[in-house]
């Protein structure tokens, strides 16, 4: 049987280089964000997504420079507004793959007000936070994910604040996909990004991405020494309680897919809403005027 | 005296149905082809507090809520007190009051110099006896007013039927009975001693709309299919309207978690290629300012409606003011270019919405529309064929210019062009990939900190203004061209200004007025020319600090002309007589 027709014509297979922009990253040597970027290229190539159908939205921070290095559509917006802008893009164009990338300060300090809302709405997007527990771009101030006792430029006597726990937070506010990954493990990171993009709904990845300049080599060493993979622990990510348990494991920092749940995403729910709104005949726009003539 | 222009005020507590009586009255007027206008005002309570309304009915085109209230319908004097400051009474004033209110004649809370004719009617009693419910008090009042002053009673009955059409026939009947009871009482018991009598010639029914509705409708008409907002008085009606209508036309309305998110979502949708808008007021516009700058920098088309309320801070959420002008013009850091337009009446809210989308899409720029509570929440009539035509003949809709063919070979999102406008791609367009940013950038969109590039890009963003000003520079002019005394105002003050000028001209005073619709870019040439014959110029605005006055001084050379500021804080819109009396002083 010779059934070669147009539909079977081999599709273009995109390669990593197709996703690289001409701009060289400004990150410091050794910055964890390189690992996240490399993994993102891998993931996009694996999914074979046409560049023009992907939009990467970021805020402000070292990590938020990322969209400039990817040859897709990008939006390096303002500090803390990744999620609303990404929501706008996705709801305006559901066919576009939307990815948000930013820092811990961007997401969990100035942008925190948006986090639960994007999560509970289940906006169909991937949100990668490059969590270095520091403000990199502004050169080393205290971050909301820093630990008690951490000395930074604005916590000269050590932080006295309990940190935000991104993974617990996200599970609790209704993210339907929650993962944590080590930027120093590109394979794990790329795999998780692939799954996150494929997931229908709000997918969050807490990317442990060390800041060489303001956290020193120790931060990277600490991450490498203390992370373990949940796959090795027979973890069931559909179990919310277990997910919360393993998120806070005493054995170290759990990485991998911690929690996942099937739930209709915001754009699909909105489509249903439109179906309900159009059950009765819809007048021509010009004729709406008649409603206002008593 | 027969008159074809009447202003009726009513005050009571929430349960008295003052506002719905007003709505029925304007609706009745509109259906009989009478020009109608209604302002409502509330005390601070969420439900059931004092409320008042002012209704003006006229046989001729009207521009404002009118002047002093000639007829006052009172359910309770105590509730009226709250509105004393904003309800200016005619001398003499005719009062219809519920005799259930036992306030003694000497204690009636109106200025003692004002002559009054009072009709006491057992309104509550009649409602209870004839309609079986106190809820029908407002209908009794309508019956009384209609019979006493010759209001369009057939229209009233129609309006009542329509208002309750979703309820049982019983409800309609009881309301009609209540109205009839009021009218009968007047015929049987009242000896009319006042001279107010409304006369009108029925004509084709008019459209009756609120400014917020007209704006939302205009946006939909212009092709807006995305809107996000966070509720805030007095702009919420816009997002409510959008929430009902947009989904029917394949659009989206999102209620965001705050105004930071509202404008963020709109920016996202605009970046994604949709015509998008948000509407807000007061605190909300302050929260949006950072991202207005982002839209400026990333050259994103979007429309931001600010239905101004009394400020600063929480101010008086339910009242009007024109004191967000400077914020609209300059709010946000940096040299952030934007367009500012101000609708002047309800029908103009529709036109301005269409124009705002036209400008924003064509020139890729945020457009701020400055309405206010007085405009957004009042009801006003206009002719049926008026909506799809505009006063300046501008009613075009447009699609955003996207890059094609050659542009896409080496796509420069921020390409230098003569007009400053560069074709704009959006996700989904092949080869159009670029990075939008709040960072300064070169033609491709890549970040730069280069001094020359910043100079060039800033100049590019502002270059658009010249072209915009050529295309849109609408200014409304009133009065004789050679007048030596002039008034300049903006936005919702147009009504009182126009009417004051007409009255001054009728009384033989040569006065003119100019009301620019677009405020930025500044309609320089037209206003310069307007100034030429003038010796004295009044700048009238509801801003204590005179924001418009200061703005004009930046653009216009007044030379020897006397420049007079008529700037006062808002909360109450201008009365016609206020402008009239101020300007008339010139001739005394
Ligand atoms: C409204 C506002 N406030 C402050 C800043 C300054 N600022 C820029 S980036 C940043 C924090 C960056 O930290 P993070 O988000 O963790 O990103 P990182 O650089 O560590 O990747 C701050 C405070 C800003 N750009 N905007
Ligand atoms: S400062 Fe830290 S986060 Fe920023 S680029 Fe350098 S290493 Fe990376
Ligand atoms: Mg950080």
């Amino acid at each position: 049987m010779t059934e070669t027709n147009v539909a079977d014509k081999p599709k273009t297979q995109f390669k990593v280089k197709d996703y690289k922009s001409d701009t060289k990253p400004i990150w410091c040597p050794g910055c964890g964000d390189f690992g996240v970027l490399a993994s993102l290229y891998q993931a996009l190539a694996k999914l074979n997504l046409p560049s023009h159908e992907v939009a990467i939205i970021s805020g402000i921070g070292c990590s938020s420079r990322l969209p400039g290095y990817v040859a897709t559509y990008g939006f390096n917006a303002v500090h803390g507004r990744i999620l609303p802008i990404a929501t706008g893009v996705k709801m305006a164009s559901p066919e576009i793959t939307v990815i948000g990338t930013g820092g811990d300060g961007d997401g969990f300090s100035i942008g925190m007000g948006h986090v639960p809302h994007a999560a509970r709405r289940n906006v169909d997007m991937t949100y990668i936070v490059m969590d270095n527990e520091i403000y990199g771009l502004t050169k080393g101030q205290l971050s909301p994910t820093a630990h008690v006792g951490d000395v930074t430029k604005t916590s000269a006597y050590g932080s006295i604040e309990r940190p935000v726990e991104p993974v617990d937070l996200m599970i609790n506010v209704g993210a339907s996909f929650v993962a944590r990954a080590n930027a120093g493990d590109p394979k794990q990171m790329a795999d998780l990004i692939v799954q996150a993009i494929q997931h229908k709904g709000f997918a969050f990845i807490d990317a442990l991405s060390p800041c060489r300049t303001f956290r020193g080599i120790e931060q990277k060493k600490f991450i490498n020494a203390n992370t373990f993979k949940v796959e090795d622990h027979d973890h069931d990510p559909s179990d919310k309680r277990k997910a919360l348990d393993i998120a806070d494991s005493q054995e170290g920092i759990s990485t991998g897919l911690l929690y996942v749940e099937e739930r209709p995403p915001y754009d699909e729910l909105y489509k249903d809403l439109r179906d309900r709104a159009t059950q009765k005949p819809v007048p021509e726009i010009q004729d709406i005027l008649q409603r206002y003539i008593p | 005296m027969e008159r074809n222009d009447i202003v009726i005020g009513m005050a009571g507590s929430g349960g008295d149905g003052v506002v719905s009586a007003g709505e029925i009255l304007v609706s009745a007027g509109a259906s009989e082809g009478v020009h109608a206008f209604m302002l409502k005002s509330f005390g601070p309570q969420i439900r059931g507090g004092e409320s008042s309304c002012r209704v003006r009915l006229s046989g001729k085109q009207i521009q404002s809520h009118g002047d002093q209230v000639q007829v006052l319908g009172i359910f309770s004097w105590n509730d009226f007190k709250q509105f004393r400051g904003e309800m200016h009474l005619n001398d003499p004033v005719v009062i219809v009051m519920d005799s259930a209110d036992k306030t003694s004649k000497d204690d009636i809370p109106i200025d003692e110099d004002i002559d009054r004719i009072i009709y006491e009617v057992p309104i509550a009693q009649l409602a209870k006896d004839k309609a079986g419910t106190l809820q029908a008090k407002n209908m009794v009042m309508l019956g009384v007013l209609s019979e006493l002053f010759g209001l369009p009673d057939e229209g009233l009955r129609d309006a009542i039927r329509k208002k309750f059409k979703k309820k049982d026939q019983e409800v309609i009947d009881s309301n009609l009975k209540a109205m009839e009871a009021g009218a009968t009482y007047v015929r049987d018991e009242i000896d009319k001693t006042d001279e107010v009598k409304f006369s009108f010639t029925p004509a084709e029914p008019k459209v009756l709309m609120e400014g917020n509705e007209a704006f939302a409708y205009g946006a939909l008409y212009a092709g807006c299919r995305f809107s996000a907002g966070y509720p805030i008085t007095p702009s919420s009606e816009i997002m409510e309207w959008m929430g009902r209508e947009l989904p029917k036309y394949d659009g989206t309305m999102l209620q965001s978690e705050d105004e930071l998110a509202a404008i963020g979502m709109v920016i996202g949708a605009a970046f994604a290629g949709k015509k998008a808008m948000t509407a807000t007021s007061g605190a909300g516009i302050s929260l949006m300012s950072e991202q207005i700058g982002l839209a400026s920098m990333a050259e994103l088309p979007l429309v931001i409606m600010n239905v101004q309320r009394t400020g600063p801070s929480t101010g008086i959420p339910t009242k009007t003011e024109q004191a967000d002008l400077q914020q609209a013009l300059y709010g946000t850091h940096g040299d952030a270019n934007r367009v500012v337009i101000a609708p002047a009446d309800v029908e103009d809210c529709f036109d301005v919405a269409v124009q705002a989308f036209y400008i924003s899409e064509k020139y890729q720029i945020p457009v701020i529309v400055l309405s206010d509570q007085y405009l957004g929440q009042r009801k006003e009539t206009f002719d049926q064929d008026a909506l799809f035509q505009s006063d300046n003949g501008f009613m075009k809709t447009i699609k955003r210019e996207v890059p094609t063919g050659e542009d896409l070979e080496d796509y420069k999102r921020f390409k230098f062009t003569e007009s400053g406008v560069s074709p704009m791609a959006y996700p989904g367009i092949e080869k159009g990939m670029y990075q939008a940013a709040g960072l300064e950038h070169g033609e491709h969109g890549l970040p730069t900190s280069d001094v020359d590039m910043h100079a060039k890009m800033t100049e590019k963003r502002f270059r658009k203004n010249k072209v915009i000003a050529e295309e849109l520079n609408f200014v409304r002019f009133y009065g004789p061209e050679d007048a030596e005394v002039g008034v300049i105002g903006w936005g919702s003050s147009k009504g009182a200004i126009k009417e004051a000028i007409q009255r001054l001209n009728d009384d033989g005073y040569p006065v003119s007025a100019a009301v620019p619709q677009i405020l930025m870019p500044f309609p320089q040439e037209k206003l310069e020319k307007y100034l030429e014959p003038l010796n004295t110029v009044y700048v009238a605005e509801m801003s204590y600090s005179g924001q418009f006055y200061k703005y004009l001084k930046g653009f216009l050379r007044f030379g020897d002309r006397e420049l007079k500021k008529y700037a006062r804080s808002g909360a109450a819109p201008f009365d016609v007589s206020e402008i009239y009396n101020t300007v008339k002083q010139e001739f005394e």
Side-chain angles (χ1 to χ4, degrees):
Chain A
M1 269 195 331
T2 52
E3 286 196 351
T4 14
N5 58 30
V6 192
D8 294 332
K9 215 176 81 187
K11 275 210 225 143
T12 322
Q13 177 58 56
F14 297 112
K15 303 200 177 64
V16 162
K17 70 168 177 32
D18 295 318
Y19 297 101
K20 286 191 177 171
S21 80
D22 298 335
T23 313
K24 288 266 151 312
I26 55 160
W27 294 319
C28 314
C31 175
D33 296 352
F34 283 108
V36 177
L37 178 63
S39 307
L40 180 61
Y41 292 144
Q42 294 286 350
L44 292 172
K46 176 132 196 234
L47 291 166
N48 205 30
L49 293 170
S51 309
H52 66 279
E53 290 172 7
V54 178
I56 307 181
I57 318 298
S58 72
I60 298 291
C62 297
S63 41
S64 284
R65 287 290 188 133
L66 185 140
Y69 312 136
V70 189
T72 59
Y73 280 90
F75 196 159
N76 183 182
V78 290
H79 200 30
R81 311 297 157 223
I82 294 173
L83 295 175
I85 295 176
T87 302
V89 175
K90 187 68 194 182
M91 295 303 281
S93 295
E95 67 285 1
I96 300 298
T97 298
V98 177
I99 302 169
T101 60
D104 38 298
D106 192 283
F108 301 123
S109 192
I110 193 168
M112 183 64 126
H114 308 305
V115 168
H117 302 287
R120 72 184 174 88
R121 288 176 185 134
N122 206 23
V123 180
D124 185 13
M125 65 175 287
T126 298
Y127 180 34
I128 306 172
V129 170
M130 284 159 259
D131 185 0
N132 53 12
E133 303 175 348
I134 194 87
Y135 282 13
L137 190 74
T138 46
K139 301 194 188 332
Q141 298 85 3
L142 185 67
S143 140
T145 55
H147 298 265
V148 172
D150 281 3
V151 174
T152 69
K153 281 193 183 157
T154 49
S155 57
Y157 304 101
S159 170
I160 54 171
E161 299 179 8
R162 177 187 172 139
V164 168
E165 301 286 354
V167 160
D168 298 41
L169 172 82
M170 284 295 191
I171 296 173
N172 278 310
V173 295
S176 55
F177 178 110
V178 178
R180 181 156 48 200
N182 180 354
D185 182 347
K187 190 182 165 318
Q188 180 193 40
M189 181 71 78
D191 277 355
L192 284 169
I193 297 177
V194 167
Q195 291 177 54
I197 293 175
Q198 283 173 330
H199 174 75
K200 282 216 140 304
F202 188 80
F204 168 70
I205 301 177
D206 185 23
L208 307 173
S209 180
C211 170
R212 177 67 62 87
T213 303
F214 296 107
R215 286 293 201 179
I217 188 81
E218 296 73 23
Q219 189 183 31
K220 181 174 179 165
K221 284 187 178 155
F222 181 87
I223 295 170
N224 286 341
N226 288 283
T227 42
F228 69 88
K229 294 194 167 124
V230 293
E231 302 94 279
D232 304 339
H233 285 62
D234 206 14
H235 174 59
D236 172 10
S238 68
D239 186 327
K240 200 174 206 163
R241 273 175 203 292
K242 286 200 178 126
L244 284 165
D245 280 347
I246 204 156
D248 291 337
S249 170
Q250 296 304 307
E251 288 169 43
I253 310 165
S254 48
T255 62
L257 176 56
L258 304 180
Y259 180 64
V260 67
E261 171 195 340
E262 293 282 323
R263 213 167 88 221
Y266 202 27
D267 58 303
E268 278 179 15
L269 292 168
Y270 210 96
K271 237 190 261 161
D272 295 346
L273 180 157
R274 282 195 205 103
D275 288 343
R276 278 180 278 134
T278 48
Q279 262 164 16
K280 281 196 213 148
V282 174
E284 293 291 321
I285 290 176
Q286 253 95 340
D287 295 337
I288 293 177
L289 179 65
Q290 297 308 319
R291 241 181 267 160
Y292 296 93
I293 303 173
Chain B
M1 189 183 62
E2 299 254 317
R3 49 168 73 233
N4 65 359
D5 195 343
I6 186 170
V7 183
I8 301 169
M10 279 186 263
S13 67
D16 295 334
V18 164
V19 171
S20 69
E23 277 168 356
I24 287 172
L25 203 47
V26 278
S27 168
S31 71
E32 298 273 348
V34 169
H35 297 268
F37 195 110
M38 172 179 163
L39 259 190
K40 48 193 167 179
S41 187
F42 301 95
Q45 287 93 328
I46 309 301
R47 278 196 82 153
E50 324 80 20
S51 55
S52 78
C53 72
R54 234 185 306 185
V55 169
R56 182 177 181 190
L57 298 175
S58 180
K60 56 180 202 284
Q61 181 75 48
I62 46 180
Q63 303 294 334
S64 72
H65 54 279
D67 246 38
Q68 280 86 351
V69 170
Q70 294 136 1
V71 170
L72 196 54
I74 295 290
F75 292 96
S76 137
W77 284 113
N78 205 31
D79 292 323
F80 170 77
K81 276 190 202 154
Q82 167 91 14
F83 308 103
R84 221 171 357 180
E86 63 198 72
M87 254 204 226
H88 305 136
L89 304 181
N90 191 52
D91 185 9
V93 63
V94 185
I95 295 168
V96 173
M97 61 174 278
D98 190 344
S99 48
D101 185 303
K102 296 297 177 206
T103 310
S104 95
K105 289 249 159 68
D106 299 333
D107 294 337
I108 284 178
I110 64 175
D111 190 341
E112 50 188 50
D113 298 338
I114 291 179
D115 281 337
R116 61 208 73 178
I117 296 160
I118 301 180
Y119 302 114
E120 287 191 49
V121 180
I123 289 178
Q125 196 63 47
L126 287 170
K128 222 159 69 192
D129 293 352
K130 306 287 175 180
T133 166
L134 281 177
Q135 276 182 353
K137 283 200 312 191
N138 54 352
M139 301 298 146
V140 178
M141 178 66 93
L142 283 176
V144 173
L145 296 175
S146 163
E147 186 65 24
L148 268 174
F149 307 110
L151 307 182
D153 62 334
E154 199 40 56
L156 278 171
R157 278 188 284 272
D158 266 355
I160 291 172
R161 280 183 209 109
K162 269 186 206 139
K163 168 139 187 131
F164 299 105
K165 70 167 181 260
K166 290 199 180 127
K167 304 242 166 96
D168 293 343
Q169 186 61 34
E170 229 172 280
V171 178
I172 295 177
D173 289 344
S174 99
N175 279 288
L176 288 172
K177 258 188 231 156
M179 183 186 146
E180 194 44 45
T184 309
Y185 185 87
V186 173
R187 282 194 292 269
D188 295 352
E189 311 283 341
I190 286 183
D191 189 10
K192 184 173 162 83
T193 52
D194 72 277
E195 296 189 329
V196 180
K197 195 92 198 164
F198 183 64
S199 72
F200 66 95
T201 326
E204 189 194 38
K206 299 209 178 311
V207 183
L208 181 65
M209 244 187 222
E210 294 185 9
N212 282 344
E213 293 167 336
F215 179 82
Y217 186 12
L220 178 71
Y221 178 85
C224 172
R225 290 297 178 273
F226 188 96
S227 133
Y230 186 76
I232 187 165
T233 306
S235 74
S236 304
E237 293 84 5
I238 296 177
M239 68 178 290
E240 291 163 8
W241 200 97
M242 286 306 206
R244 279 192 309 270
E245 300 302 328
L246 277 179
K248 296 185 196 163
Y249 300 91
D250 206 27
T252 308
M253 192 289 287
L254 303 181
Q255 174 166 337
S256 59
E257 54 272 27
D258 55 31
E259 287 87 350
L260 303 167
I263 187 151
M265 289 170 176
V266 168
I267 282 176
F271 169 74
K274 286 274 188 299
K275 290 185 183 172
M277 60 149 279
T278 181
T280 187
S281 179
I285 194 78
S286 289
L287 285 180
M288 287 182 186
S289 32
E290 185 198 10
Q291 290 177 83
I292 293 174
L294 173 61
S296 245
M297 187 56 138
E299 301 190 45
L300 292 172
L302 46 106
V303 174
I304 302 141
M305 165 55 120
N306 176 2
V307 187
Q308 297 166 99
R309 65 191 219 180
T310 312
S313 190
T314 308
I316 310 177
T318 52
K319 302 254 159 93
T320 200
E321 199 155 63
Q322 294 182 300
D324 294 353
L325 176 64
Q326 280 174 338
Q327 188 188 43
L329 295 167
Y330 310 119
T332 197
H333 56 285
D335 278 326
N337 199 19
R338 81 288 303 271
V339 168
V340 181
I341 340 183
D345 54 45
V346 169
E347 196 271 316
D348 205 34
C349 287
F350 184 96
D351 302 350
V352 161
V354 175
Q355 291 169 22
F357 277 97
Y358 176 88
I359 299 171
S360 71
E361 293 294 324
K362 180 157 179 192
Y363 298 101
Q364 300 173 18
I365 190 167
V367 176
I368 299 177
V369 180
L370 278 182
S371 170
D372 58 26
Q373 185 274 337
Y374 176 49
L375 204 46
Q377 293 191 322
R378 77 191 194 204
K379 274 193 191 313
E380 193 176 352
T381 49
F382 48 84
D383 291 341
Q384 292 190 24
D385 55 8
L387 197 69
F388 302 113
Q389 298 163 8
S390 82
D391 287 5
N392 58 348
F394 196 102
M395 195 44 88
K396 287 185 259 187
T397 57
I398 197 174
K399 279 213 174 91
R400 193 177 304 178
E401 190 184 352
V402 293
T404 48
E406 236 172 78
D407 298 331
L408 289 169
E409 287 316 312
D410 172 31
Y411 177 52
K412 292 177 172 163
R413 162 67 186 102
F414 301 100
K415 187 176 164 183
F416 292 120
T417 59
E418 205 175 300
S419 64
V421 179
S422 343
M424 178 178 173
Y426 50 81
I429 294 184
E430 231 173 309
K431 294 186 182 171
M433 291 84 74
Y434 76 101
Q435 187 181 237
L439 283 163
E440 185 59 283
H441 42 257
E443 286 184 274
H444 284 96
L446 301 176
T448 178
S449 44
D450 183 73
V451 178
D452 291 339
M453 188 51 91
H454 174 54
K456 276 183 164 164
M457 274 295 165
T458 306
E459 195 275 324
K460 168 200 193 285
R461 291 187 286 267
F462 276 90
R463 200 182 307 159
K464 298 173 186 175
N465 290 14
K466 218 176 133 237
V467 212
I468 297 171
E470 276 162 23
E471 197 163 12
L472 268 158
N473 47 41
F474 185 46
V475 180
R476 295 180 159 87
F477 293 109
Y478 308 109
E481 271 177 33
D482 57 352
E484 292 182 4
V485 177
V487 180
I488 310 182
W490 69 276
S492 72
S493 309
K494 172 232 133 192
I497 293 174
K498 180 176 177 186
E499 221 168 305
I501 297 298
Q502 280 167 352
R503 215 183 276 179
L504 284 158
N505 292 164
D506 289 349
D507 294 352
Y509 301 105
V511 181
S512 66
V515 182
Q517 184 193 55
I518 188 158
L519 301 171
M520 186 182 260
F522 189 74
Q524 184 79 27
E525 239 172 80
K526 285 193 175 163
L527 285 177
E528 260 172 19
K529 188 149 177 293
Y530 170 68
L531 280 189
E532 274 171 21
L534 302 178
N535 288 330
T536 308
V537 189
Y538 281 88
V539 180
E541 60 182 314
M542 285 186 282
S543 150
Y544 176 81
S545 66
Q547 298 184 6
F548 188 50
Y549 172 86
K550 289 184 229 167
Y551 181 56
L552 290 178
K553 276 177 59 166
F555 282 97
L556 297 173
R557 260 191 275 274
F558 290 94
D560 298 337
R561 289 179 192 91
E562 212 179 339
L563 187 59
K564 294 188 169 176
K565 174 153 110 173
Y566 187 69
R568 65 148 169 89
S569 53
F574 283 139
D575 272 342
V576 177
S577 58
E578 196 179 350
I579 310 278
Y580 177 94
N581 293 331
T582 306
V583 178
K584 208 181 98 181
Q585 286 168 18
E586 268 324 294
F587 301 91
E588 280 163 0

